[in-house]
Amino acid sequence: MAQATAPASIGNSEFDRDTAVSRRGPGVFDATLSEGWTIINAVNGGYLLALAGRALAEELPHSDPFSITAHYLTASRPGPAEIRTETIRTGRTLSTGAASLVQYDAQGAPVERLRVLASYGNLDTLDPEVRTSAKPPALPPVEQCLGSDDAPDGKVIPGSNAITERLLLKLDPATIGWAVGQPSGKGETRAWFGLADGRDADPLSLLLAVDALPPTAFDLGLMGWMPTVELTVHVRHRPAPGPLRVAITTRNLAHGFLEEDAEVWDSADRLVAQSRQLARVVQPR
């Protein structure tokens, strides 16, 4: 795993460069899906959501995602992409928009990869009152947690994992027994999370954080591919500087599908994002 460097300012980090969009015309943006955010051969779903989320932030009068839902239609591949956005409604507090991420096949036909519906607002103008029974996950100190550089072959997950070079991901040892053939069976994953270049989290990078940990299915003893079918993220606060803590659980695997519930906590012990996704479990043949 890459070593942390001096903090990168937002706008100059690898994440920002790789989620950059360029307006081609009304409601149409060009983008490039970087192979640096792949797991095996798949482009990470959280990265794709952040890229679509950035296009919506450019299109809508509000810049912060409050609630964003994506349906993953076909597998994305590194390379050129087009994001088509639509403003559905604008208001004083919230704006609603939709986005589609499209790539073109070898014959030049458009193939929709991702469809998004989202509500955007301004996190800085929200009522500061918080009433919650939620508590931050109990994680060991970061130096007692494990990353890909602690694995014997330098990889937490077998195969090519370019995304791990862009993350500072330190997993709770209690949730990583699957890496040595001893999954707990609880369906839990917890980790410290950050970007390898030191960039602090913002609302768009939270869309990546909820989908960047190893699948909870690994903790159930299932080591196949887990493509996301649907992912909804609620952003609750603008995160404070410093590392994030991410806790993900699953309670029900049925008929080859499972749900994952994620919580993301910042360095100020605030619940800054929540998500639920439906994923498909594809077992090796």
Side-chain angles (χ1 to χ4, degrees):
M1 182 174 293
Q3 297 298 311
T5 61
S9 62
I10 291 176
N12 296 320
S13 78
E14 190 168 27
F15 174 79
D16 293 300
R17 293 194 300 271
D18 289 346
T19 57
V21 296
S22 175
R23 186 184 294 273
R24 187 199 310 167
V28 181
F29 297 83
D30 291 316
T32 300
L33 307 188
S34 169
E35 63 182 1
W37 302 89
T38 57
I39 302 174
I40 314 300
N41 296 316
V43 181
N44 174 263
Y47 162 73
L48 293 173
L49 185 57
L51 198 151
R54 191 177 296 282
L56 282 169
E58 294 283 340
E59 182 69 15
L60 297 172
H62 296 95
S63 60
D64 298 327
F66 277 21
S67 178
I68 184 166
T69 297
H71 286 265
Y72 295 80
L73 308 177
T74 54
S76 299
R77 64 177 187 270
E82 177 182 291
I83 302 175
R84 304 169 181 175
T85 62
E86 176 189 0
T87 299
I88 297 172
R89 179 186 179 276
T90 61
R92 292 180 59 188
T93 304
L94 291 174
S95 298
T96 302
S100 293
L101 190 151
V102 174
Q103 293 188 300
Y104 290 84
D105 65 16
Q107 288 71 46
V111 180
E112 189 173 12
R113 306 296 194 191
L114 179 74
R115 185 169 293 191
V116 172
L117 182 65
S119 291
Y120 274 55
N122 185 344
L123 289 167
D124 297 324
T125 63
L126 295 180
D127 186 332
E129 182 181 20
V130 175
R131 302 184 187 186
T132 182
S133 60
K135 295 182 179 180
L139 276 170
V142 65
E143 60 272 14
Q144 296 178 18
C145 293
L146 304 174
S148 60
D149 51 350
D150 298 306
D153 63 355
K155 296 177 181 178
V156 175
I157 305 171
S160 173
N161 294 287
I163 191 172
T164 62
E165 298 176 7
R166 282 142 193 88
L167 302 178
L168 288 172
L169 196 62
K170 291 291 187 177
L171 297 160
D172 183 346
T175 68
I176 202 172
W178 51 265
V180 292
Q182 298 177 358
S184 76
K186 296 179 180 179
E188 298 177 345
T189 305
R190 293 183 295 273
W192 294 92
F193 173 89
L195 294 171
D197 61 12
R199 177 201 192 274
D200 281 321
D202 71 347
L204 280 180
S205 67
L206 293 176
L207 307 183
L208 168 68
V210 300
D211 193 45
L213 274 60
T216 54
F218 288 4
D219 194 44
L220 298 176
L222 303 173
M223 295 299 293
W225 182 42
M226 314 295 167
T228 302
V229 176
E230 181 268 345
L231 172 61
T232 295
V233 186
H234 297 162
V235 177
R236 312 306 299 273
H237 290 280
R238 191 177 306 281
L244 301 171
R245 287 158 290 172
V246 184
I248 307 179
T249 60
T250 185
R251 297 191 302 166
N252 189 54
L253 187 155
H255 312 299
F257 292 85
L258 58 77
E259 94 293 342
E260 288 191 331
D261 292 312
E263 291 185 351
V264 184
W265 294 78
D266 71 2
S267 59
D269 282 345
R270 297 181 306 172
L271 180 59
V272 293
Q274 298 165 278
S275 74
R276 167 165 281 198
Q277 73 167 276
L278 180 69
R280 187 161 57 95
V281 180
V282 181
Q283 289 283 72
R285 293 184 181 274

